């Protein structure tokens, strides 16, 4: 208990010292920590999105803390700093991937002292960093969740622009930008390019390297990232890691790239912590999730299906809510193509 208390105190003090030397945009940019009074079994480590800050994971952190987990949401390097940022004086975002990689490894080491099983997750570029860490340290990670991970843009033309052009980009009202006042309004393209290059490398590595179970979430309404890259990553990983899940939110839900909070445009944001909890606390393979979904299309209830399949012990209490978001109709059509024209 003494070691646990000392570890907590050290983590908090180091973050305070680092952030005290920065002129932060506001309090929502500070690293956020949620510690249990006693050392729990599990700890979550979440990485926020590009140009954003830890505020994005506040709802997720609250859910897991109330479920008995320790939760760490550190401020990414170069983020959340106040200043008169513009094309002439851009925000101090790193352009060397090693800065982020070392940061992720250091936080993984700290997380390992706060729980036996480490869950990692991230949004957008934070999702890219999560995927990199999962490939680098697969044995050290229990579960990894990728929310709209930036592996590539929604357009190959845009990818080419990011790879070739050194310029300054400023978010507009219609862009998938962080909440105004809590993130940077613009950035230099090389600062984003490093995540594009990292994401493309991860897709290649995922064809042959082991990973912990991944939950890959994407949205058909996302204007910033390409769902085809998310699906490719899923298909690369699944044969070697059957506990990997995939969910694509339909276009009708209008879930944007900034999907973590209602304030950033996702009116269904409350579902994300539930779905994440279902993944973390279940030991169902994707094939089993699909089988449950298929049988539910036949008019059966979730409790009756898992009892029928003998899967009740492997399913989280959050699974019934998770199954409402699974595209069960597509599962049924894949098994019975003749159903494609049936409403």
């Amino acid at each position: 208990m003494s070691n646990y208390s000392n570890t907590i105190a050290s983590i908090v003090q180091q973050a305070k010292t680092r952030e005290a030397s920065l002129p932060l945009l506001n309090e929502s940019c500070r690293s956020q920590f949620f510690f249990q009074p006693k050392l729990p079994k599990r700890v979550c480590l979440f990485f926020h999105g590009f140009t954003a800050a830890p505020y994005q994971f506040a709802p997720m952190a609250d859910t897991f803390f109330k479920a008995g987990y320790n939760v760490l949401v550190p401020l990414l390097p170069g983020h959340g700093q106040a200043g008169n940022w513009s094309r002439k004086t851009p925000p101090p975002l790193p352009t060397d991937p090693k800065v982020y990689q070392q940061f992720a490894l250091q936080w993984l080491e700290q997380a390992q002292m706060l729980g036996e099983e480490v869950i990692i997750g991230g949004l957008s570029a934070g999702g890219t960093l999560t995927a990199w860490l999962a490939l680098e340290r697969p044995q050290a990670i229990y579960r990894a969740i990728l929310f709209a991970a930036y592996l590539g843009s929604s357009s190959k033309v845009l990818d080419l622009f990011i790879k070739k052009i050194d310029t300054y980009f400023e978010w507009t009202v219609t862009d998938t930008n962080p909440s105004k006042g809590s993130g940077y309004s613009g950035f230099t393209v090389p600062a984003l390019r490093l995540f594009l290059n990292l994401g493309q490398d991860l897709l290649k590595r995922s064809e042959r390297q082991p990973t912990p179970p991944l939950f890959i979430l994407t949205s058909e309404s996302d204007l910033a990232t390409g769902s085809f890259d998310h699906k490719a990553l899923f298909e690369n990983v699944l044969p070697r890691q059957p506990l990997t899940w995939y969910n694509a939110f339909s276009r009708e839900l209008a879930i944007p790239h900034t999907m973590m909070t209602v304030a950033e445009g996702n009116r269904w944001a409350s579902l994300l912590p539930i779905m994440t909890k279902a993944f973390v606390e279940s030991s169902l393979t994707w094939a089993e999730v699909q089988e449950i979904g298929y049988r539910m299309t036949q008019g059966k209830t979730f409790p009756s299906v898992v009892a029928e399949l003998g899967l009740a012990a492997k399913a989280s209490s959050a699974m019934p809510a998770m199954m409402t978001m699974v595209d069960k109709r597509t599962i049924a059509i894949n098994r019975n193509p003749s159903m494609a024209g049936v409403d």
Side-chain angles (χ1 to χ4, degrees), residues 93-288:
L93 295 166
T95 55
D96 183 350
K98 293 180 181 177
V99 174
Y100 290 108
Q101 292 168 341
Q102 188 61 36
F103 176 85
L105 289 170
Q106 289 172 347
W107 277 102
L108 176 60
E109 289 180 5
Q110 303 216 63
Q112 288 177 301
M113 296 186 287
L114 296 171
E116 180 183 338
E117 295 174 344
V118 179
I119 295 97
I120 62 173
L123 169 69
S124 188
T128 315
L129 192 58
T130 296
W132 177 83
L133 193 56
L135 282 164
E136 285 292 308
R137 298 289 189 274
Q139 302 305 318
I141 295 165
Y142 180 69
R143 295 284 192 275
I145 306 96
L146 280 56
F147 302 97
Y150 182 62
L151 307 175
S153 304
S154 57
S155 163
K156 294 303 177 185
V157 173
L158 184 55
D159 280 349
L160 184 62
F161 171 83
I162 293 169
K163 287 180 179 179
K164 300 294 185 181
I165 306 299
D166 291 340
T167 188
Y168 183 81
F169 180 86
E170 191 162 6
W171 298 115
T172 64
V173 175
T174 56
D175 286 317
T176 53
N177 61 312
S179 297
K180 291 297 184 182
S182 295
Y184 295 142
S185 62
F187 57 91
T188 59
V189 170
L192 178 62
R193 181 183 303 146
L194 76 86
F195 286 106
L196 175 61
N197 292 337
L198 186 60
Q200 295 300 296
D201 181 60
L202 291 172
L203 282 173
K204 295 176 183 177
R205 290 176 60 189
S206 68
E207 294 175 356
R208 61 186 186 279
Q209 290 188 216
T211 70
L214 306 182
F215 189 8
I216 302 165
L217 293 102
T218 186
S219 171
E220 293 176 357
S221 300
D222 189 343
L223 300 178
T225 64
S227 59
F228 39 85
D229 288 323
H230 300 147
K231 191 64 179 294
L233 177 63
F234 171 70
E235 292 174 348
N236 287 348
V237 171
L238 185 62
R240 293 184 307 282
Q241 182 46 269
L243 293 175
T244 288
W245 294 6
Y246 176 85
N247 190 80
F249 295 111
S250 67
R251 194 171 300 279
E252 289 74 19
L253 295 176
I255 293 176
H257 180 63
T258 49
M259 61 174 62
M260 302 309 298
T261 67
V262 174
E264 292 182 293
N266 182 9
R267 62 194 178 107
W268 307 102
S270 61
L271 289 173
L272 289 180
I274 297 172
M275 295 174 70
T276 303
K277 196 166 179 284
F279 171 65
V280 170
E281 297 183 348
S282 297
S283 55
L284 296 165
T285 66
W286 184 243
E288 290 168 336

Side-chain angles (χ1 to χ4, degrees), residues 8 16 31 34 46 60 75 106 116 125 131 148 177 206 221 226 250 292 317 328 334 342:
I8 289 175
K16 282 185 176 180
S31 296
F34 303 76
F46 295 127
M60 185 74 65
L75 176 65
Q106 289 172 347
E116 180 183 338
N177 61 312
S206 68
S221 300
S250 67
I292 292 170
S317 60
K328 296 182 285 294
N334 288 339
V342 180

Side-chain angles (χ1 to χ4, degrees), residues 290-321:
Q290 288 188 305
E291 183 63 27
I292 292 170
Y294 176 69
R295 296 194 185 200
M296 289 178 70
T297 64
Q298 300 174 326
K300 298 178 181 180
T301 64
F302 177 83
S304 67
V305 170
V306 293
E308 188 177 83
L309 295 171
L311 297 175
K314 297 176 67 175
S316 163
S317 60
M319 274 305 295

